[in-house]
Amino acid sequence: IFLIALVLSLAQVFTPTAARECLNIPNKAFEFDQTEDTFDTSVDSFQGCRRACLENKECAAFTWDSEASISCFMFTKIREYYTCTACQSGLKPSQMMPQNHGCAVHLSDVLATTEAESVDDCLAQCDEMDGPCQFVTYHNATSEFSNFCFLLRECKTMEPCYSCESWQLNCLPSPPPDECSNHRILDDATRSINHGDGGYCDRSGYSSPDWQGPGWYRMMSPAGIKMPQNTPGQSHCGTAVVGWLNGEHPTNQFQTSTNVRVCFDWDDDDCHGETTANITNCGQFYVYQLTDTPICDLRYCSHNPDELKIDEE
């Protein structure tokens, strides 16, 4: 009881950010395969169709079409979908382990604790919270914590519990941000931390060979594939004043980190000048939204992760 009270006191309210497509996907229907998929004529609502899929071991996704003579369709796998005006679809969540096992409660992972009439209701609340919520642990009516729902960002470990179950939302893949396909390339070999001094500058009118003004850029060989997070020391990367990332790259796919600090190393000061950059993790590579450097000769460095920092002579 103390744990529940503590969680309640620390629970936060999150406002949905970008819409995702998990349990409630409006205006999309999956293609029906008569040889593998089924339908249920006994349900009369979207919520009823969702519950029917949750209770069906063979169901991976469902579509509710309020204008069709048969409204609830259940699919054995996620299929191609088409747009429609009077339909809703959803993906069945995955049960983490059999009943009487739940996600261990780590307070840093608890987004909120609520009451829920069923595990379906608990999952729906997680879905409505959007991005941060990925897992739930639900205690049913026979549990000591009757009809209690934990909304969780992560499920690091499982542990036995009485009359509880844990589930993970499944969602359609998010489309990549536009900058992952719409960007310029920085690949000049002198941009590498392994190159020495030079007079190049990432500033319009005084450009490096691969600099095309402010915008989104991907770093590629032979320059390197990402900005270094440690300074290589001044007079490298084909310039006098080297730019390095004084911050972290985003760790999750399609995540964007904004206003990440970029420092310029000069005059025995590794952050003699600075600017900021936005960085998006595109899965297999990063892209950087870079501005003109404040003055010349300043330039953004690049490297490969296995390259060692170059020592000053």
Side-chain angles (χ1 to χ4, degrees), residues 2 33 89 92 126 133 202 204 231 246 257 261 263 279 290 313:
F2 169 75
D33 185 329
S89 295
K92 180 182 178 179
C126 180
C133 187
D202 289 334
S204 301
T231 177
N246 191 354
S257 296
R261 190 181 185 201
C263 284
I279 310 170
L290 303 174
E313 296 183 355

Side-chain angles (χ1 to χ4, degrees), residues 187-195 210 221-223 237 299:
D187 60 357
D188 179 57
T190 66
R191 190 176 293 278
S192 168
I193 63 172
N194 283 328
H195 195 278
D210 52 359
S221 294
C237 311
R299 196 186 197 198

Side-chain angles (χ1 to χ4, degrees), residues 184-246:
R184 299 162 180 161
I185 303 298
L186 295 177
D187 60 357
D188 179 57
T190 66
R191 190 176 293 278
S192 168
I193 63 172
N194 283 328
H195 195 278
D197 200 357
Y200 286 130
C201 177
D202 289 334
R203 186 169 175 82
S204 301
Y206 303 88
S207 295
S208 306
D210 52 359
W211 182 254
Q212 301 177 59
W216 284 98
Y217 286 90
R218 176 183 177 182
M219 294 181 169
M220 298 183 69
S221 294
I225 63 172
K226 63 189 291 190
M227 288 186 68
Q229 291 178 204
N230 294 288
T231 177
Q234 64 188 51
S235 299
H236 285 103
C237 311
T239 191
V241 187
V242 302
W244 59 282
L245 195 67
N246 191 354

Side-chain angles (χ1 to χ4, degrees), residues 64-299:
W64 170 261
D65 188 341
S66 62
E67 293 184 347
S69 57
I70 299 173
S71 296
C72 181
F73 301 87
M74 290 184 283
F75 307 89
T76 57
K77 61 183 178 182
I78 300 170
R79 304 190 183 280
E80 294 293 324
Y81 56 81
Y82 58 91
T83 58
C84 48
T85 57
C87 64
Q88 295 171 270
S89 295
L91 306 188
K92 180 182 178 179
S94 300
Q95 189 166 7
M96 303 294 293
M97 288 183 70
Q99 285 190 343
N100 300 324
H101 286 80
C103 297
V105 176
H106 300 280
L107 296 182
S108 60
D109 296 330
V110 177
L111 297 168
T113 54
T114 67
E115 292 185 359
E117 296 180 356
S118 64
V119 65
D120 174 66
D121 182 25
C122 183
L123 285 161
Q125 292 184 52
C126 180
D127 188 42
E128 290 168 3
M129 183 173 282
D130 211 74
C133 187
Q134 298 293 332
F135 301 86
V136 305
T137 293
Y138 177 68
H139 294 259
N140 64 35
T142 63
S143 168
E144 179 183 1
F145 309 114
S146 176
N147 298 327
F148 205 80
C149 173
F150 285 90
L151 305 179
L152 308 170
R153 73 173 80 242
E154 290 189 50
C155 181
K156 297 185 177 74
T157 57
M158 303 290 292
E159 62 184 10
C161 57
Y162 179 71
S163 297
C164 77
E165 51 193 295
S166 286
W167 295 73
Q168 179 181 6
L169 291 182
N170 290 317
C171 307
L172 291 178
S174 300
D178 179 67
E179 61 265 23
C180 290
S181 57
N182 185 15
H183 53 256
R184 299 162 180 161
I185 303 298
L186 295 177
D187 60 357
D188 179 57
T190 66
R191 190 176 293 278
S192 168
I193 63 172
N194 283 328
H195 195 278
D197 200 357
Y200 286 130
C201 177
D202 289 334
R203 186 169 175 82
S204 301
Y206 303 88
S207 295
S208 306
D210 52 359
W211 182 254
Q212 301 177 59
W216 284 98
Y217 286 90
R218 176 183 177 182
M219 294 181 169
M220 298 183 69
S221 294
I225 63 172
K226 63 189 291 190
M227 288 186 68
Q229 291 178 204
N230 294 288
T231 177
Q234 64 188 51
S235 299
H236 285 103
C237 311
T239 191
V241 187
V242 302
W244 59 282
L245 195 67
N246 191 354
E248 301 292 331
H249 286 79
T251 56
N252 298 324
Q253 182 171 276
F254 304 151
Q255 175 187 357
T256 298
S257 296
T258 59
N259 297 318
V260 183
R261 190 181 185 201
V262 176
C263 284
F264 296 96
D265 189 338
W266 176 248
D267 196 24
D268 296 324
D269 182 355
D270 61 12
C271 203
H272 186 78
E274 63 181 87
T275 186
T276 60
N278 298 330
I279 310 170
T280 295
N281 181 335
C282 293
Q284 300 299 316
F285 58 91
Y286 298 99
V287 290
Y288 305 82
Q289 189 175 31
L290 303 174
T291 61
D292 278 339
T293 54
I295 58 173
C296 288
D297 295 332
L298 281 67
R299 196 186 197 198

